[in-house]
Amino acid sequence: MRHEASRRPRVVGELARPVFFVGFMGAGKTSVARRLARTCGVASVDMDTYLERREGKRVKEIFAQAGEDGFRAIETDVLRELAGKEPLLVSCGGGVVKRDENRAILRDAGFVVYLKVTADEAKSRISDTSTRPLFQDLDVARKTSEERLPLYAEVADLTIDTAGKNVATIAREVQSALEKEGILCLQRK
Ligand SMILES: Nc1ncnc2c1ncn2[C@@H]1O[C@H](COP(=O)(O)OP(=O)(O)O)[C@@H](O)[C@H]1O
Ligand SMILES: O=C(O)C1=C[C@@H](OP(=O)(O)O)[C@@H](O)[C@H](O)C1
Ligand SMILES: [Mg+2]
């Protein structure tokens, strides 16, 4: 097993622009970006993780202390910061598309991959919704998801329906599309 792994060529990927993953909570943005980073030798960053380290607080605490508006202000700041770095795979939080200025940053700075999921399928994937303050009630989540559909569609350069697919399959679909679009260039060493 170890021998086979060491014989596999090392892959180093380069991105022409930042790639932003958007979509509803539970779409798999964090998991797919992380998987793609590993298989393609590209750096990835999760906006929520980055934001939590920067603020020294969990997303849930920020919502409790500063409300959604407070969270969104920090989120915009972080998005701007990450959009200005060397191109990365960036998994965004599901609500990043709510602000007009964020949608402008996503469109202008990057290539946007929209991972589609229904609120019902997302609920079945997320075992513990306590870390997601806006996914506490399924009926509310269904409504929120419907309201956001046009916002995700507005920024998407690529849309992938994730229904019934696992993370590896989705990551392969994204990889192939990014290579075809000239956004991802892979060198096998
Ligand atoms: N395609 C998928 N099929 C099944 N489970 C998934 C899939 N994508 C993600 N998950 C699971 O759903 C949960 C949320 O995934 P995550 O990547 O954090 O989504 P997001 O960042 O879009 O909210 C995790 O437990 C993850 O393992
Ligand atoms: O949809 C949203 O408004 C949110 C999604 C979360 O990220 P994930 O989409 O990665 O769960 C996180 O940013 C926060 O709880 C708000
Ligand atoms: Mg996430």
Side-chain angles (χ1 to χ4, degrees), residues 25 29-30 48 59 63 71-72 92-95 132-134 148:
M25 292 169 272
K29 303 175 295 293
T30 301
D48 286 332
V59 166
F63 267 83
F71 173 80
R72 296 292 170 212
C92 301
R132 290 170 168 89
L134 299 183
R148 288 185 187 171

Side-chain angles (χ1 to χ4, degrees), residues 12-189:
V12 179
E14 203 174 311
L15 294 172
R17 332 180 58 183
V19 175
F20 297 108
F21 290 83
V22 304
F24 199 60
M25 292 169 272
K29 303 175 295 293
T30 301
S31 313
V32 172
R34 195 181 292 145
R35 165 103 196 172
L36 206 57
R38 215 175 48 235
T39 54
C40 296
V42 182
S44 73
V45 61
D46 182 70
M47 268 182 68
D48 286 332
T49 308
Y50 188 90
L51 180 156
E52 287 183 337
R53 290 209 184 112
R54 201 184 89 157
E55 299 302 307
K57 285 178 205 162
R58 312 305 299 221
V59 166
K60 190 177 159 182
E61 292 175 284
I62 301 172
F63 267 83
Q65 291 165 11
E68 181 173 352
D69 284 350
F71 173 80
R72 296 292 170 212
I74 302 168
E75 185 176 51
T76 297
D77 211 36
V78 165
L79 177 64
R80 218 179 273 290
E81 197 177 317
L82 295 177
K85 284 187 186 287
E86 277 287 296
L88 293 158
L89 298 172
V90 181
S91 45
C92 301
V96 76
V97 293
K98 286 183 79 175
R99 283 187 161 199
D100 296 352
E101 62 183 310
N102 292 3
R103 295 200 303 283
I105 297 170
L106 292 168
R107 275 196 314 259
D108 294 347
F111 185 87
V112 182
V113 178
Y114 167 28
L115 299 183
K116 239 180 152 170
V117 72
T118 61
D120 289 71
E121 183 153 355
K123 170 80 185 157
S124 76
R125 291 178 184 175
I126 303 172
S127 50
D128 173 18
T129 53
S130 74
T131 57
R132 290 170 168 89
L134 299 183
F135 205 143
Q136 297 308 303
D137 178 275
L138 182 56
D139 278 332
V140 175
R142 283 182 183 132
K143 194 165 162 285
T144 309
S145 147
E146 285 296 313
E147 284 165 4
R148 288 185 187 171
L149 281 180
L151 304 179
Y152 294 130
E154 183 192 313
V155 294
D157 292 300
L158 168 71
T159 302
I160 292 184
D161 189 351
T162 70
K165 297 175 192 163
N166 64 29
V167 169
T169 303
I170 299 161
R172 273 197 303 273
E173 264 186 60
V174 175
Q175 179 186 330
S176 145
L178 292 180
E179 286 191 88
K180 216 173 278 169
E181 294 282 345
I183 302 293
L184 172 66
C185 179
L186 292 184
Q187 277 185 12
R188 288 169 177 89
K189 300 204 165 177

